[in-house]
Amino acid sequence: MTVKTRFAPSPTGYLHIGGARTALYSWLYARKTGGSFALRIEDTDRERSIQASVDAILEGMEWLGLDYDEGPVFQTQRFDRYAEVIQQLMDEGHAYHCYCSREELEEMREQQRANKEKPRYDGRCRARTEPVEGVEPVIRFRNPLEGDVVIKDLVKGDIVINNRELDDLIIARSDGTPTYNLTVVVDDIDMGMTHVIRGDDHINNTPRQINIMKALGATVPAFAHVPMILGDDGKRLSKRHGAVGVMQYRDDGYLPEAVLNYLIRLGWSHGDQEIFSREEMLEFFELEDIHGAASAFNTEKLNWMNQQYFKSLPVEVIEGHLQWHLENQKLDISNGPALADVIEGQRERAKNLVDFVETSRYFFEDFDSYDAKAQKKQFKAGVDATLQATHDRLAALDDWNPESIQSAINATCEALELGMGKVGPPLRLAVAGTPMSPGLDVTLNLVGRERTLQRIEKAIAFIAETTA
RNA sequence: GUCCCCAUCGUCUAACGGUUAGGACAUCGCCCUUUCACGGCGGUAAUCGGGGUUCGAAUCCCCGUGGGGACACCA
């Protein structure tokens, strides 16, 4: 049997972190088994579905590199098929018209709540044979009254629910449009899904869906219900903390490789391993290893993960991810060292891509002010002489490379009988404008001879002026 | 309220019924050091509670407690 999975979001918002993880798990399982993966947009609620959300989902999937073999399939384009199935269920006696008004239903639920019962439709239209004048009926599925439904869940184990807990759900609204539980079932059957991997907030729907599948004579797929992701504080994700779209993570400077790795480890594990290449994810991922409990999203660990990838990913890959940020933060790199070299110099200290761009400006642009605190500490009277000596040694170099630069600085220290601690920091501030940069040899080499010397001269003048 | 799911350091998690309960993030201390980082070494820190079953329980069972989810002509 060839595995087939799908990711089926409804376009009522962006692709959030929980959805992204479900998509990742579905994608991984299909890919690792040589099966296929489909993307289906559940947009039957026309009131709430919006195009912007569809775009956001597609963009998110692409950024994460989760490609699909089928789709996007839009449910709104399959209404004819749903109508056909609904008719079939009617013809076979598995469904019936219900003429109850919303008010009537609400009253019924009120009463059940008052009796400390679970609110559910009591089946009062089950036996009705005559239509009610002037009322467009909904269509309800005739759920079995007795017996258990068993969900064979790959994550949670067997879940048994008695049919008495279920009611006759609406499968078609009074305007004839199908509802979620019907469309999911029809699509999962038609698309040949073998494994339904989704959030565990769907567990309650599963027995109803299984009953419909059985009524349709279809094979019931395997299920894997993945727990929810909680916010940093352990509470349900909300807009205020973490319930942001995955594209926000791009905007904030995260690498998709890191986000994926963070997500796969959130609720899944393979021994003590933390870092997984895409190949390793495919090799080791098993639905059975998904942890059954909800897990809290931890930004600190994501930050760490992001840095791990920043340090180890091939430069070309980082360069690719950086393009958007360079544009977004308006950094023109055409006049300066090769971006790849700056990445090599900065990758161990940049917190993320946004931080990288922000802390790498001096390689490409001149600056006209110094870090205030560092200026106060380093640019004291007399330092200009030290800088001048350094300048002269550097200016005299035949070759401009990290080795020669380092030896020039070392020679300056010896000549002035000063430690590196006296010569280095002012030099760094003069050339970078900030007290933070890669090693001086690397920094000066990348900034280049002309710029380095100019900046030192400028700093000398600046010190002379401010300490006069 | 009813039904369902879940429960190991602050967080993510590991542990054929037998381990000094392991790792990672964070945190604290030390080392490295021209800055910022990286890195190295070490520390603090957990089996929700109560009953069983068993020679032996984090692990199996029951009951609590806590958290989450679901109970729509939403998905």
Side-chain angles (χ1 to χ4, degrees), chain A residues 39-286:
Chain A
L39 176 65
R40 187 171 75 218
I41 306 293
E42 314 226 314
D43 56 351
T44 52
D45 184 355
R46 288 153 151 166
E47 306 267 306
R48 302 198 308 161
S49 297
I50 55 169
Q51 186 58 39
S53 295
V54 175
D55 295 341
I57 290 165
L58 299 181
E59 189 185 21
M61 294 290 284
E62 191 182 340
W63 184 66
L64 291 171
L66 302 179
D67 54 340
Y68 31 92
D69 308 293
E70 186 180 341
V73 172
F74 291 88
Q75 293 193 316
T76 41
Q77 291 175 2
R78 290 176 42 81
F79 273 38
D80 289 348
R81 172 60 182 151
Y82 304 136
E84 197 177 298
V85 174
I86 291 167
Q87 189 55 51
Q88 182 189 337
L89 288 168
M90 283 293 284
D91 293 346
E92 293 170 358
H94 289 301
Y96 61 91
H97 288 300
C98 167
Y99 296 84
C100 298
S101 67
R102 289 168 203 259
E103 294 71 32
E104 191 178 350
L105 294 173
E106 194 40 54
E107 193 182 320
M108 178 188 72
R109 289 189 202 107
E110 289 277 316
Q111 206 148 81
Q112 288 164 333
R113 264 189 275 265
N115 293 339
K116 296 182 191 278
E117 284 168 22
K118 186 181 192 172
R120 60 199 202 287
Y121 183 66
D122 61 7
R124 57 184 66 172
C125 288
R126 269 198 164 217
R128 182 187 293 278
T129 50
E130 296 304 310
V132 173
E133 208 61 39
V135 177
E136 280 303 325
V138 299
I139 295 175
R140 287 183 186 273
F141 174 68
R142 196 184 296 274
N143 197 79
L145 298 172
E146 301 289 330
D148 289 331
V149 182
V150 180
I151 306 172
K152 295 215 167 284
D153 195 282
L154 267 17
V155 174
K156 311 271 188 183
D158 286 4
I159 300 170
V160 183
I161 284 137
N162 194 287
N163 274 317
R164 280 189 296 270
E165 296 297 331
L166 275 24
D167 63 357
D168 293 348
L169 68 154
I170 291 172
I171 54 176
R173 305 182 179 94
S174 46
D175 64 3
T177 58
T179 59
Y180 169 73
N181 281 296
L182 188 278
T183 59
V184 175
V185 165
V186 174
D187 287 342
D188 283 342
I189 293 172
D190 287 357
M191 294 168 80
M193 292 304 156
T194 60
H195 297 257
V196 171
I197 301 166
R198 61 186 6 167
D200 70 0
D201 49 333
H202 286 282
I203 286 182
N204 294 278
N205 290 321
T206 308
R208 306 169 193 279
Q209 293 172 10
I210 289 176
N211 282 335
I212 298 177
M213 285 174 167
K214 284 181 175 163
L216 256 16
T219 307
V220 178
F223 292 94
H225 285 99
V226 182
M228 315 221 54
I229 294 179
L230 277 23
D232 265 318
D233 56 359
K235 294 264 166 56
R236 194 190 207 295
L237 232 36
S238 76
K239 295 246 167 79
R240 226 169 261 106
H241 57 287
V244 295
V246 291
M247 296 317 287
Q248 185 63 47
Y249 290 93
R250 175 202 59 185
D251 297 358
D252 290 347
Y254 292 97
L255 295 154
E257 288 84 353
V259 173
L260 242 26
N261 198 148
Y262 179 74
L263 285 180
I264 194 176
R265 274 290 286 114
L266 190 61
W268 174 87
S269 60
H270 181 71
D272 285 340
Q273 190 170 341
E274 295 287 348
I275 306 290
F276 294 87
S277 64
R278 207 166 264 237
E279 291 67 38
E280 288 174 317
M281 289 185 188
L282 290 167
E283 185 182 350
F284 300 135
F285 183 74
E286 293 296 346

